[in-house]
């Protein structure tokens, strides 16, 4: 039976179709989910894609966090449903308190778009098992509010528990504390990151690399072995 991975579309989502394509390339069935629909339609995992939901008004992800679909996503994520938040999706996960900390505007106050080098710090989450710890990858990055922040206690806890999943290498593009590019919850089923793996799944488009494809093959492997 083919794994079904839901992709939520919010008003202002930009990368939902790209994410669906990445899921399809990995061998799963993408399922379009609408932000006003509480029903997840029996998907095996959920991706909150990148974009500028609700125009990032009030605060990035702050309005989407109250969308009807998020009531179900929050409930099921706490029960173990794998959830991946990419860029704006990461912002929504912090606003929903599924991940600690928060996102602020880039320290240079400009939108940034570049191919970003990352180091995989945790290859044991539901979304990273097809990577190896210490692996260096290149993933496209594009954000305006990408600066990850948290208090020192939270940062120390994330480090001590191995919950920093990705770290920026060579260049910190937004001023994120401790060069953090992505984190996970305690259970490892919820992961958020600012770079866009869905833009690095085919050699002829995007970054010209396939470094992002293991995100989507990882969750298939995790679901098969669950």
């Amino acid at each position: 039976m083919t794994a079904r991975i839901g992709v939520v579309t919010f008003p202002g989502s930009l990368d939902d179709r790209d994410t669906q394509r990445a899921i399809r390339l990995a061998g799963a069935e993408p399922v379009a989910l609408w932000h006003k629909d509480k029903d997840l339609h029996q998907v095996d995992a959920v991706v909150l894609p990148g974009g500028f939901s609700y125009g990032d008004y009030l605060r990035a992800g702050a309005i989407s966090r109250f969308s009807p679909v998020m009531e179900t996503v929050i409930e099921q994520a706490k029960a173990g449903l794998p959830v991946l938040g990419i860029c704006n999706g990461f912002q929504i996960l912090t606003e929903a308190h599924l991940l600690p900390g928060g996102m602020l505007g880039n320290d240079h106050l400009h939108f940034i778009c570049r191919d970003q080098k990352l180091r995989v710090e945790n290859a044991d989450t539901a979304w990273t098992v097809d990577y190896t710890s210490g692996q260096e990858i290149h993933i496209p990055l594009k954000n305006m509010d990408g600066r990850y922040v948290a208090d020192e206690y939270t940062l120390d806890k994330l480090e001590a528990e191995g919950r920093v999943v990705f770290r920026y290498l060579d260049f910190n593009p937004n001023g994120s504390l401790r060069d953090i590019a992505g984190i996970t919850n305690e259970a490892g089923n919820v992961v958020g990151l600012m770079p866009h793996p869905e833009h690095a799944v085919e050699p002829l488009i995007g970054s010209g690399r396939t470094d992002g494809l293991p995100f989507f093959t990882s969750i298939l492997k995790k679901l098969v072995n669950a």
Side-chain angles (χ1 to χ4, degrees):
M1 184 174 177
T2 304
R4 290 161 46 85
I5 302 178
V7 180
V8 179
T9 298
F10 299 94
S13 293
L14 301 178
D15 301 300
D16 43 348
R17 296 295 182 90
D18 302 74
T19 303
Q20 290 175 26
R21 179 174 178 79
I23 290 167
R24 193 176 294 112
L25 285 171
E29 176 188 351
V31 178
L33 301 176
W34 185 237
H35 70 111
K36 286 189 175 181
D37 187 1
K38 291 185 179 181
D39 188 356
L40 298 185
H41 302 283
Q42 299 180 317
V43 296
D44 302 299
V46 168
V47 180
L48 306 180
F52 300 90
S53 61
Y54 290 94
D56 280 349
Y57 290 116
L58 183 61
R59 189 172 57 248
I63 300 176
S64 295
R65 175 260 179 273
F66 293 101
S67 293
V69 72
M70 286 304 298
E71 293 182 31
T72 312
V73 170
I74 291 168
E75 177 185 344
Q76 294 199 20
K78 290 179 178 178
L81 179 75
V83 178
L84 175 65
I86 302 171
C87 195
N88 189 232
F90 185 11
Q91 295 161 343
I92 295 170
L93 290 177
T94 61
E95 291 289 339
H97 303 297
L98 286 174
L99 292 175
M103 312 300 298
L104 296 178
N106 297 342
D107 60 351
H108 45 75
L109 303 181
H110 294 285
F111 179 84
I112 189 168
C113 181
R114 70 190 306 270
D115 193 16
Q116 178 65 47
K117 188 176 182 180
L118 306 174
R119 183 171 61 239
V120 180
E121 304 282 31
N122 183 339
D124 294 323
T125 78
W127 299 92
T128 58
V129 293
D130 266 354
Y131 292 108
T132 57
S133 293
Q135 183 177 351
E136 296 181 2
I137 61 177
H138 291 78
I139 302 289
L141 173 87
K142 50 178 184 175
N143 63 69
M144 180 68 188
D145 299 295
R147 178 161 50 117
Y148 180 75
V149 297
D151 59 73
E152 287 299 310
Y153 172 81
T154 299
L155 292 170
D156 288 343
K157 185 176 182 182
L158 289 173
E159 300 276 13
E161 295 177 355
R163 291 168 54 193
V164 175
V165 183
F166 298 97
R167 212 178 298 270
Y168 297 118
L169 288 185
D170 297 343
F171 172 72
N172 186 324
N174 43 41
S176 291
L177 298 181
R178 303 195 188 181
D179 299 326
I180 291 174
I183 60 173
T184 184
N185 65 342
E186 292 182 9
N189 64 302
V190 178
V191 170
L193 78 160
M194 286 310 296
H196 287 260
E198 77 280 10
H199 294 327
V201 294
E202 294 180 282
L204 296 180
I205 61 173
S207 67
R209 297 170 177 264
T210 58
D211 290 4
L213 192 59
F215 275 89
F216 306 100
T217 57
S218 289
I219 189 59
L220 292 187
K221 182 178 293 186
K222 197 71 174 180
L223 292 171
V224 168
N225 294 331

